[in-house]
Amino acid sequence: MLGNWAFGGEYFKEEACSMAWELLTQVYRIPQDRLWVTYFDGNPLEGLAPDYESRDIWLGLGIHKCLAQVLSQTIPKDPKLKLAGHSSRVPSTQVLPFGPLENFWEMGETGPCGPCTEIHYDLSGGVGPPQLVELWNLVFMQYNREADRSLQPLPQHHVDTGMGLERLVAVLQNTHSTYDTDLFSPLLTAIHQGCRAPPYRGRIGVADEGHVDMAYRVVADHIRTLSICMADGVYPGMSGASLVLRQILRRAIRFSSEVLQAPPGFLSSLVPVVVEMLGDAYPELQKNTAQIISLVTEEENAFLSSLERGRWVIERTLQKLGPSDLFPAEIAWSLSGNLGLPLDLVGLMLEEKSVQLDSAGVQQLAQEEAQRRSQAQQAKPAEKLELCLDVHALGHLQKQRVPPTDDSSKYNYSLLPNGCYEFGACEAEIIRLYSLDGVAIGSAGGGQRCGLLLDKTSFYAEQGGQSSDRGYLIRKGQQDVLFPVIGAQTYGGFILHEVIAPETLKVGDQVQLYVDEEWRLGCMKKHTATHLLSWALRQELGPDVEQCGSHLSPERLRFDVATLAPLTSKQLQAVEEAVREAVGRDEPVYMAEVALELTTRVPGLRSLDEIYPDPVRVVSVGVPVASALAPASQAALHTSVELCCGTHLLRTGAIGDLTIIGERPLSKGIIRLVAVTGEQAQQARDVGQNLAQEVEAAAARMSQGNQDVREAQRLSKDVGRLSDTVDTAVMPQWQRRELQAVLKKLQRRANTAIRKLEIGLATAKTQELLERHPVGPFIVDTVPAESLSLLVKVVKQLCEQVPGTSVLLLSPQTPGKVLCACQVAQDAVPTFTAETWASVVCSHMGGKAWGSQVVAQGAGHTGDVEAVLNVARSFALNQL
């Protein structure tokens, strides 16, 4: 993105338009007759007039001396700079008005905003109707969008413009598409040379048979995005920007392998082409080339098998659909959740086969998933599965001498030299099937939810505070039907899997199990991080600190701890730093099963108040289990050594980072901590840093002092909004506390400043009103007031100056809003009350009022303030 800014009021509309026009028409020599301009046509609903100023600037462009003045101030000694005048104006037929959707720019729900004027380029070249493409957007920030959706004028105007580099290059190189420019042509050539597709021809729509040219564009665009994001430190992952990047990468893999018929590993071969093209502008590309190639290669290898299986599933499902049937939402959701095929990619694959996806069903499943994630965000244990094994079912299994489930395969994983985890395969036999109501059945199918008991499993059943695994299974020898596994629970040594059966499953079937590796790895990271957090709390607070419970999922972890006193901000920060240091050391994590009696007298060994199996599993960070349990060992006093049945990382470095983002008391002496790891932790730190800068800026504004009540009120609102943001943001808890303390002081200072300024303004306005009105039974008038509190102060001072007079004042605002405040003399009550007076007046304006017999206030909307004043006077006369 190209652009120019003026955030200090250096120049505004006339200069911005002039510079844009000169750059395009005289520097880049774009023909003037091919440029069209739009401007803001106003918005009556918000009281915004059309931006005729911008329109008239475009229509009157000539030689602007102000341009020379601005540039001479910014670059006063540049001998190469030669200013040229504008030899012609923009034709009036090519200056068009548009509404707020097109020509009023806003950065978000709140914040600076304003009208914009856009410069468009006509691709038609005068042949046929215009084909306009936006080239440059000039935004004039004149307002601030408040939280209540109102607009307040900014004390200083700003300019912020943006022009797309690719679009500009397309115009300058006289092409209709950015993909026909030299920004993309080297990539398109490399794609053709590396795959078996015909050359790129730039076709679109129905002309693009087989979507070959679209695949060229997708791969070229996506490999640029992927390379730059990875160079900046964003890598494919499970959530946030990392998840988006993974979806982009997988779309690129699908188009290159299936449409372009590229060989495996092809995508990573394009990274050096991107580095050659953009490396000078983005030096990080050159620095991280090898890492980017490695990451793309790993992701491509991992996804190709899933893509192939997904294609089998789609083909088999299509064979069973009627001509007008929708593709089942459950299967699409399974392809996304279990195989990692992005839903939009599934939809595109179906569209290529003229089949429509059940979008409503997918939306319903997405809502259910959002609810589950919301629960996880609060670090609550997931709801139990719909199925269970009651005492009767367990008794029946034991009576039939069915052995407990062998779940040792859940620990069958290893760490590869490249830092990736490899999870072992597991084959099993279905030994029991259960319906949702717990009845044993011989088979299930047709999308039915059912419970499976297997002779062995690689799925982790929820226990020890760790969420259960999820994933899928397939019948042995049948690769094109997925049976999603929603979760697993353990009952008396038997592990019950809740499964969706799109086709028939029978007792005795041989199945292959596939754990959702990303989900499992997320749990492993959080579980090892939980052990480090427990250790760090003991290091900081002392050995008497006791864990009272925990729960973890891939999203975040929750840790309940008994302490003698609440944690201070410094203690929270110190605990975080201790964990981060252990993560940075990338220490090995050792796990082993040992006889329970060997663990009973180890100093510092952490265990919870529960019954452990014998033998018991021990997890030790940095020290082999045998060494940690040696008779004279003190290791458990200095590192994390715990009894635990969960799945853990094999080295701590994969945690990446840890941030405590929440803390609250559960009961006396027990505190609940919530933490995130990895990219989420870094994002939380970034949010905290950004908010700290905003608080610092607010403090600087406060220190400057202000004699303008509107600016003081705006600062008070900004501090209030900032306080709300800090209260709810995902950020380090220690930093949240510190910022909350600063903001509380700033809010008090802001309110004090407003009160002083309003009292001074009220005094001046009171004197003006007294000069206009002789002493009488009442005063009804209008007065400019920046807020309702100021209006109330004016009313109060008037009544103090003339004690026997009742006062009602209106203050028109924009757009169309009118504030009302009144006070009734004591000797007029109860015949005449302020609450009734204000209610009558505000009701006439379609608003509401509130208050007491003596003082009241309210607001409404009207375009005829004089009529409202007459209503107020008439009511007072009748009552008095």
Side-chain angles (χ1 to χ4, degrees):
M1 181 66 71
L2 308 174
N4 56 293
W5 303 268
F7 293 147
E10 296 86 354
Y11 59 86
F12 200 45
K13 294 182 181 180
E14 186 170 17
E15 297 86 347
C17 295
S18 299
M19 287 190 284
W21 190 254
E22 178 173 334
L23 180 64
L24 294 178
T25 62
Q26 299 192 35
V27 177
Y28 294 146
R29 300 191 180 280
I30 298 175
Q32 298 173 1
D33 59 356
R34 297 186 70 168
L35 295 177
W36 293 60
V37 172
T38 65
Y39 67 92
F40 180 50
D41 197 27
N43 185 2
L45 295 177
E46 295 194 290
L48 296 174
D51 185 13
Y52 292 136
E53 181 183 2
S54 291
R55 179 200 64 182
D56 293 343
I57 289 171
W58 290 116
L59 294 177
L61 272 179
I63 300 176
H64 290 287
K65 294 181 180 180
C66 56
L67 174 60
Q69 294 171 353
V70 170
L71 293 181
S72 65
Q73 292 170 1
T74 56
I75 318 174
K77 298 181 180 180
D78 188 349
K80 299 179 182 179
L81 181 63
K82 181 178 181 181
L83 299 179
H86 304 296
S87 58
S88 64
R89 304 175 180 180
V90 184
S92 60
T93 55
Q94 293 178 203
V95 180
L96 307 176
F98 284 91
L101 186 63
E102 297 84 5
N103 280 86
F104 193 87
W105 186 89
E106 302 195 50
M107 64 185 298
E109 291 296 318
T110 61
C113 56
C116 63
T117 180
E118 297 174 343
I119 304 173
H120 297 254
Y121 180 77
D122 182 8
L123 295 173
S124 70
V127 180
Q131 301 175 33
L132 302 183
V133 59
E134 180 188 335
L135 191 59
W136 201 343
N137 187 10
L138 286 64
V139 180
F140 305 124
M141 295 191 185
Q142 301 174 229
Y143 305 98
N144 191 75
R145 176 72 73 181
E146 305 291 334
D148 61 2
R149 303 301 297 159
S150 64
L151 291 172
Q152 296 296 331
L154 290 173
Q156 193 173 58
H157 292 166
H158 312 290
V159 173
D160 183 2
T161 83
M163 175 166 55
L165 171 64
E166 284 89 354
R167 291 186 182 181
L168 176 63
V169 173
V171 168
L172 296 179
Q173 295 183 359
N174 196 29
T175 68
H176 281 210
S177 169
T178 58
Y179 294 97
D180 295 329
T181 68
D182 56 14
L183 288 172
F184 280 96
S185 55
L187 266 174
L188 297 175
T189 299
I191 292 171
H192 173 58
Q193 292 172 347
C195 62
R196 295 188 293 272
Y200 178 71
R201 295 170 57 187
R203 298 167 301 179
I204 60 174
V206 295
D208 184 16
E209 186 176 352
H211 304 289
V212 172
D213 287 345
M214 181 174 73
Y216 268 99
R217 292 188 289 269
V218 169
V219 172
D221 176 83
H222 287 14
I223 195 61
R224 290 203 325 167
T225 301
L226 291 162
S227 299
I228 291 174
C229 287
M230 292 183 192
D232 280 344
V234 181
Y235 308 114
M238 282 186 61
S239 61
S242 293
L243 177 59
V244 174
L245 200 65
R246 169 162 284 160
Q247 292 172 337
I248 290 173
L249 176 52
R250 291 182 171 179
R251 278 194 291 268
I253 294 170
R254 189 262 166 173
F255 276 99
S256 66
S257 63
E258 291 196 348
V259 181
L260 298 177
Q261 299 295 301
F266 164 72
L267 207 58
S268 61
S269 71
L270 298 177
V271 173
V273 183
V274 176
V275 175
E276 177 67 24
M277 295 171 59
L278 302 177
D280 291 339
Y282 297 95
E284 295 85 359
L285 283 171
Q286 299 170 337
K287 179 181 177 182
N288 299 291
T289 302
Q291 182 186 23
I292 297 170
I293 292 174
S294 176
L295 286 169
V296 173
T297 300
E298 290 170 8
E299 287 283 331
E300 185 174 5
N301 292 338
F303 183 60
L304 280 174
S305 60
S306 295
L307 181 62
E308 183 177 16
R309 178 165 290 160
R311 188 168 60 247
W312 291 341
V313 172
I314 289 175
E315 291 294 343
R316 182 179 177 88
T317 305
L318 292 179
Q319 291 172 8
K320 299 181 178 181
L321 294 182
S324 59
D325 289 347
L326 298 177
F327 191 87
E330 294 81 4
I331 295 180
W333 191 258
S334 176
L335 291 171
S336 174
N338 294 312
L339 297 182
L341 273 67
L343 284 170
D344 61 341
L345 180 57
V346 174
L348 183 60
M349 295 168 72
L350 294 174
E351 183 182 323
E352 291 172 358
K353 298 180 180 295
S354 302
V355 176
Q356 188 174 356
L357 175 63
D358 178 9
S359 300
V362 169
Q363 186 175 6
Q364 176 63 34
L365 292 171
Q367 291 173 351
E368 295 173 4
E369 176 73 3
Q371 292 174 355
R372 185 199 63 75
R373 288 190 175 275
S374 176
Q375 190 178 53
Q377 290 291 317
Q378 301 172 43
K380 295 180 180 178
E383 294 181 3
K384 292 292 185 182
L385 299 179
E386 298 180 32
L387 293 150
C388 71
L389 292 178
D390 58 23
V391 291
H392 303 292
L394 289 173
H396 185 69
L397 290 169
Q398 292 165 355
K399 184 177 180 180
Q400 293 187 321
R401 299 182 182 276
V402 177
T405 309
D406 175 8
D407 64 346
S408 58
S409 294
K410 67 188 179 187
Y411 299 127
N412 183 16
Y413 55 88
S414 59
L415 182 60
L416 301 177
N418 61 8
C420 295
Y421 279 81
E422 183 176 61
F423 295 86
C426 181
E427 295 185 359
E429 179 184 346
I430 300 176
I431 58 175
R432 291 290 187 278
L433 275 168
Y434 295 92
S435 62
L436 285 180
D437 54 8
V439 177
I441 55 179
S443 63
Q448 179 181 358
R449 287 196 178 206
C450 59
L452 264 66
L453 279 186
L454 307 170
D455 61 340
K456 53 181 169 289
T457 185
S458 56
F459 279 76
Y460 183 88
E462 181 163 0
Q463 56 187 316
Q466 178 175 329
S467 296
S468 76
D469 282 335
R470 64 184 191 183
Y472 67 96
L473 57 86
I474 61 173
R475 281 195 300 258
K476 193 172 180 180
Q478 187 179 29
Q479 301 290 318
D480 53 1
V481 181
L482 303 184
F483 297 86
V485 179
I486 300 170
Q489 298 284 342
T490 181
Y491 299 95
F494 295 98
I495 294 179
L496 185 67
H497 306 73
E498 183 167 346
V499 176
I500 298 175
E503 294 194 13
T504 302
L505 275 178
K506 304 187 300 294
V507 173
D509 281 349
Q510 301 293 315
V511 295
Q512 295 172 321
L513 307 181
Y514 295 88
V515 169
D516 183 330
E517 296 181 3
E518 287 292 337
W519 178 274
R520 163 71 79 83
L521 188 57
C523 288
M524 289 162 58
K525 292 176 180 177
K526 297 300 186 298
H527 208 149
T528 303
T530 300
H531 282 211
L532 290 177
L533 178 60
S534 177
W535 163 77
L537 284 165
R538 297 197 308 275
Q539 295 297 303
E540 179 62 27
L541 304 179
D544 294 331
V545 171
E546 291 293 337
Q547 177 180 343
C548 299
S550 66
H551 186 268
L552 62 97
S553 68
E555 283 86 5
R556 57 182 62 187
L557 65 89
R558 184 206 74 202
F559 191 87
D560 300 338
V561 58
T563 62
L564 298 176
L567 277 69
T568 66
S569 297
K570 289 186 177 180
Q571 286 173 327
L572 286 169
Q573 192 173 9
V575 168
E576 275 189 17
E577 286 305 313
V579 175
R580 297 181 74 197
E581 288 175 7
V583 170
R585 290 193 294 269
D586 192 26
E587 296 181 295
V589 180
Y590 299 97
M591 290 161 276
E593 286 191 351
V594 301
L596 184 60
E597 68 176 56
L598 294 178
T599 69
T600 56
R601 296 183 181 179
V602 177
L605 179 67
R606 307 306 296 173
S607 62
L608 298 179
D609 186 16
E610 59 183 51
I611 298 174
Y612 288 92
D614 192 2
V616 67
R617 191 171 179 82
V618 179
V619 179
S620 175
V621 176
V623 178
V625 172
S627 300
L629 299 185
S633 174
Q634 300 289 307
L637 295 174
H638 306 291
T639 189
S640 172
V641 183
E642 298 194 23
L643 306 183
C644 181
C645 64
T647 57
H648 285 266
L649 295 171
L650 300 179
R651 300 195 73 90
T652 61
I655 295 172
D657 195 359
L658 179 137
T659 301
I660 298 170
I661 60 170
E663 172 213 22
R664 67 180 180 89
L666 288 183
S667 60
K668 186 175 181 180
I670 299 180
I671 293 173
R672 171 163 292 177
L673 302 176
V674 178
V676 292
T677 63
E679 183 187 354
Q680 290 173 295
Q682 188 55 57
Q683 289 173 348
R685 293 186 190 282
D686 292 342
V687 169
Q689 186 61 34
N690 291 337
L691 288 174
Q693 292 174 357
E694 290 190 43
V695 171
E696 185 179 349
R701 288 168 61 191
M702 186 73 69
S703 299
Q704 292 173 358
N706 206 301
Q707 301 303 313
D708 179 60
V709 70
R710 282 192 182 276
E711 178 58 26
Q713 290 168 343
R714 187 175 295 111
L715 177 55
S716 177
K717 287 183 178 180
D718 290 345
V719 170
R721 282 196 298 270
L722 200 48
S723 296
D724 293 339
T725 302
V726 168
D727 289 345
T728 58
V730 178
M731 63 181 294
Q733 180 67 13
W734 66 266
Q735 192 174 32
R736 186 196 320 276
R737 281 194 189 171
E738 293 185 353
L739 296 184
Q740 285 172 330
V742 173
L743 287 167
K744 190 174 182 179
K745 293 179 181 178
L746 289 178
Q747 193 69 71
R748 285 199 298 264
R749 289 176 59 190
N751 292 341
T752 299
I754 291 171
R755 187 165 56 253
K756 290 180 178 179
L757 288 169
E758 286 187 344
I759 289 174
L761 285 173
T763 300
K765 295 177 186 295
T766 298
Q767 293 305 313
E768 293 175 7
L769 288 167
L770 287 174
E771 292 173 3
R772 293 209 305 264
H773 293 274
V775 177
F778 66 84
I779 294 175
V780 173
D781 206 341
T782 61
V783 62
E786 287 76 5
S787 66
L788 188 56
S789 63
L790 174 56
L791 190 63
V792 169
K793 288 181 175 67
V794 177
V795 170
K796 181 180 179 181
Q797 288 193 21
L798 268 174
C799 291
E800 289 173 351
Q801 295 283 339
V802 282
T805 300
S806 299
V807 177
L808 183 143
L809 298 178
L810 300 179
S811 180
Q813 310 289 303
T814 56
K817 184 178 181 180
V818 178
L819 305 178
C820 172
C822 66
Q823 182 170 329
V824 170
Q826 289 284 353
D827 56 7
V829 177
T831 305
F832 183 31
T833 68
E835 186 177 19
T836 306
W837 198 11
S839 295
V840 168
V841 171
C842 291
S843 296
H844 188 79
M845 297 187 294
K848 294 182 179 180
W850 57 94
S852 65
Q853 290 186 336
V854 178
V855 295
Q857 54 193 282
H861 286 79
T862 183
D864 190 352
V865 176
E866 190 60 40
V868 180
L869 292 173
N870 290 332
V871 169
R873 295 187 186 104
S874 297
F875 183 83
L877 285 171
N878 290 335
Q879 297 297 309
L880 295 174

